[in-house]
Amino acid sequence: MTLADQRPLLFLDVDGPLIPFGASRPYPTYETGPDAPGARENPLLARINPQHGCRLTALPCELVWATTWMEDANTWVAPRIGLPSLPVLGLPSSPEAEGAVGDEEEEEDVRIGLHWKTRTLVARAAGRPFVWVDDEITGTDRSWVAVHHSGPALLHRVEPRQGLRDVDYAVISAWLRRRAAP
């Protein structure tokens, strides 16, 4: 196992953590120029603070997209904030999703209120420590991960109207650094 394989994973959602949304309010926008990827196609991309890229890459972890944007996150989001192309967590029903969820499991997840990403990211982590940054994490997800994941995990819910803030980075960074300590 290489050093990169031993680093914790950080599963990152786009809508909410990187693109704030919600109650009608003026959101800050960030100029990246008319040639920025997606500038004309999706005006919400202007809400992404370009500083997220350097803050995320400074964290001692392996970044993985966990978003319905799928590969579009590498096309439209990553270049706007200076991230390289990242691995993408497959949707539960996609063939590339490790531990893809079957129909019975999917029905159970809906019944108990488990987020559709939870099983898939636990399977992808395969016992490695991980952080999940999302705006839809609930107590049901935390309880399920505690029972079904053999390694440490931080399920960090971001306020979608705010997106990732200094306090979020502080919590995530402290948790990751405790995992990196000898």
Side-chain angles (χ1 to χ4, degrees):
M1 185 177 279
T2 68
L3 181 59
D5 291 336
Q6 296 172 353
R7 292 185 309 158
L9 297 163
L10 189 150
F11 295 107
L12 181 62
D13 187 24
V14 171
D15 294 318
L18 296 180
I19 300 177
F21 69 89
S24 62
R25 59 176 281 211
Y27 288 97
T29 57
Y30 303 90
E31 267 311 311
T32 54
D35 295 332
R40 290 180 182 88
E41 292 86 346
N42 188 338
L44 295 179
L45 290 170
R47 293 182 184 176
I48 301 175
N49 183 338
Q51 292 302 308
H52 285 311
C54 62
R55 294 188 82 173
L56 290 165
T57 56
L59 296 170
C61 62
E62 177 187 337
L63 298 170
V64 177
W65 293 120
T67 175
T68 56
W69 285 69
M70 302 291 290
E71 276 301 328
D72 286 344
N74 283 323
T75 303
W76 305 113
V77 178
R80 292 182 75 83
I81 61 176
L83 289 178
S85 184
L86 301 176
V88 176
L89 181 73
L91 295 172
S93 59
S94 67
E96 65 273 3
E98 293 181 37
V101 177
D103 288 340
E104 287 180 25
E105 288 174 326
E106 194 171 328
E107 287 176 20
E108 177 188 348
D109 293 351
V110 169
R111 187 175 45 74
I112 66 172
L114 191 67
H115 195 286
W116 63 267
K117 296 176 189 175
T118 308
R119 284 182 192 265
T120 305
L121 64 87
V122 166
R124 169 67 172 82
R128 282 173 65 182
F130 74 85
V131 175
W132 177 19
V133 177
D134 204 304
D135 61 304
E136 297 180 338
I137 295 168
T138 68
T140 301
D141 301 302
R142 286 185 177 91
S143 297
W144 196 92
V145 169
V147 170
H148 294 90
H149 182 62
S150 61
L154 171 65
L155 279 64
H156 185 78
R157 185 184 180 281
V158 172
E159 170 55 48
R161 290 180 294 272
Q162 302 292 319
L164 277 166
R165 298 175 295 161
D166 291 345
V167 66
D168 299 304
Y169 281 107
V171 168
I172 294 164
S173 179
W175 190 91
L176 288 167
R177 294 194 193 296
R178 283 194 304 274
R179 301 297 150 313

